[in-house]
Amino acid sequence: AAPGTRETRIAAARDTWYRGFVAEAIARFCAETAWRDTSGRRHGGLLTADDLDGWQATAEEPLGYDYHRYRVLKTGPWGQGPVFLQQLALLSGFDLDAAGHLSADYV
């Protein structure tokens, strides 16, 4: 609900998430909630308000692959992006359009 430009409103939303009531709720939940791990012991959450306050999202160049008539962009190695692009590379030798949509060969 912040006034101003789109960028100003996005900055206000991020500030609320990382330093406002959302961050406070996340920190409280992590401090008050414990889960049993595979050892059978209970452990509290790992995030604190300082963790949230000190973190900032970054922008990065996506990974890309040209698959037939499409340029597919995905995340870097921190996500599943490279795996998906490798799967497309494996499929690049097949003519899926000629197989017929949802045919046995297509599927």
Side-chain angles (χ1 to χ4, degrees):
T5 65
R6 177 179 185 270
E7 289 76 17
T8 303
R9 293 190 308 268
I10 290 171
R14 285 183 174 162
D15 190 56
T16 298
W17 180 268
Y18 293 110
R19 286 166 285 288
F21 75 92
V22 177
E24 292 168 4
I26 291 170
R28 185 172 48 256
F29 178 82
C30 288
E32 296 172 357
T33 307
W35 297 270
R36 192 177 318 273
D37 68 9
T38 57
S39 72
R41 293 181 301 211
R42 296 176 64 80
H43 300 278
L46 301 176
L47 287 176
T48 66
D50 288 340
D51 293 327
L52 293 165
D53 184 37
W55 189 84
Q56 172 107 11
T58 58
E60 62 185 42
E61 289 297 316
L63 299 179
Y65 182 75
D66 292 321
Y67 179 75
H68 297 287
R69 62 185 181 268
Y70 301 103
R71 176 77 176 153
V72 180
L73 301 174
K74 298 296 284 178
T75 64
W78 58 266
Q80 293 296 313
V83 174
F84 182 76
L85 297 178
Q86 289 171 335
Q87 291 168 332
L88 287 178
L90 290 170
L91 287 173
S92 67
F94 296 91
D95 187 358
L96 296 179
D97 290 334
H101 184 64
L102 295 181
S103 68
D105 287 340
Y106 179 90
V107 174

